Amino acid sequence: NAGVTQTPKFRVLKTGQSMTLLCAQDMNHEYMYWYRQDPGMGLRLIHYSVGEGTTAKGEVPDGYNVSRLKKQNFLLGLESAAPSQTSVYFCASRIAGGITGELFFGEGSRLTVL
Amino acid sequence: SQQGEEDPQALSIQEGENATMNCSYKTSINNLQWYRQNSGRGLVHLILIRSNEREKHSGRLRVTLDTSKKSSSLLITASRAADTASYFCATDASRGAQKLVFGQGTRLTINP
């Protein structure tokens, strides 16, 4: 099993450009998450999904959109990139359940916005 | 704002020594988890402790939880150079038990 796979791993954008990060998981997990990691800030939750066709806002959702059209995929979009969105983005997934269990993370996508 | 805050932000010890990291949080939780992140990699789950547990062990890891003080500690015994990484606590403070909130992490360096 590949686990959680993120593409692309690296990307450089100019201010105002758009892009989509793809997260794919092969563990049949219901829940999926997008976090961003900045120096000294830890991980901050952007958006998450508790099932196919559902999405919800996290702590820092502004400037991002997401879609979960298929259970195994969770897309993170930037419509008009800004330098403040330079960060490392992590996708994670977990099984559904009554108590938050272990998150499985991808290896990250490093985005630079010039 | 971050739910968990970790202390210290950075820790450097000699190989073979024990390493202790602390995490404090603000609201009631269902569980608390610890993760490890090697440089440039994704996070890896280490251990989960539920709110009704006080201590948990996994190999060289020992986690304690004090819900009255809203704090947890992670102890790594007999440290090895390979333990060099960042360690994060994460709490599930949501009623719906749907999301984890991470602390800022402790950067641990083990010197050979």
Side-chain angles (χ1 to χ4, degrees):
Chain A
N1 287 346
V4 178
T5 303
Q6 294 182 226
T7 53
K9 290 183 170 53
F10 301 93
R11 184 74 187 269
V12 178
L13 288 178
K14 294 181 179 179
T15 296
Q17 287 185 321
S18 63
M19 74 157 296
T20 300
L21 298 176
L22 169 65
C23 177
Q25 52 92 5
D26 61 1
M27 297 172 283
N28 202 35
H29 286 172
E30 287 291 336
Y31 293 4
M32 296 186 74
Y33 305 81
W34 276 109
Y35 288 89
R36 62 177 287 174
Q37 185 176 34
D38 303 292
M41 298 292 291
L43 277 78
R44 292 182 291 171
L45 182 63
I46 305 171
H47 287 280
Y48 64 103
S49 168
V50 299
E52 182 178 317
T54 74
T55 63
K57 293 180 179 180
E59 185 184 359
V60 288
D62 294 343
Y64 305 94
N65 56 76
V66 287
S67 64
R68 184 97 180 270
L69 299 180
K70 293 183 179 181
K71 184 177 182 180
Q72 64 267 34
N73 295 337
F74 195 27
L75 279 65
L76 177 71
L78 286 71
E79 291 187 347
S80 180
S84 61
Q85 295 177 304
T86 293
S87 187
V88 182
Y89 292 86
F90 287 97
C91 177
S93 70
R94 73 167 183 94
I95 60 171
I99 185 167
T100 308
E102 172 185 356
L103 289 185
F104 292 82
F105 280 84
E107 290 296 304
S109 297
R110 184 176 296 274
L111 174 65
T112 301
V113 183
L114 302 176
Chain B
S1 62
Q2 296 294 116
Q3 162 76 331
E5 294 193 1
E6 287 155 82
D7 170 61
Q9 291 188 342
L11 179 62
S12 181
I13 61 174
Q14 294 299 119
E15 195 167 17
E17 294 180 339
N18 295 342
T20 300
M21 289 158 272
N22 302 296
C23 170
S24 61
Y25 56 91
K26 298 176 182 177
T27 63
S28 297
I29 60 172
N30 294 317
N31 69 66
L32 185 143
Q33 302 180 35
W34 286 90
Y35 287 79
R36 165 193 170 127
Q37 183 182 34
N38 287 68
S39 181
R41 305 296 299 274
L43 279 74
V44 175
H45 181 263
L46 293 175
I47 196 166
L48 180 154
I49 186 165
R50 297 175 186 248
S51 60
N52 61 355
E53 298 176 313
R54 293 297 168 257
E55 187 171 313
K56 203 162 183 179
H57 296 257
S58 177
R60 292 184 296 113
L61 305 181
R62 172 177 167 254
V63 170
T64 61
L65 180 64
D66 186 336
T67 53
S68 67
K69 295 181 179 179
K70 292 187 171 56
S71 67
S72 173
S73 67
L74 171 67
L75 169 67
I76 303 174
T77 61
S79 63
R80 306 166 181 170
D83 294 328
T84 294
S86 292
Y87 293 82
F88 295 87
C89 68
T91 51
D92 164 20
S94 59
R95 290 182 180 272
Q98 294 176 347
K99 53 188 178 180
L100 284 182
V101 179
F102 285 81
Q104 296 173 336
T106 293
R107 174 68 188 167
L108 175 64
T109 301
I110 308 300
N111 301 304

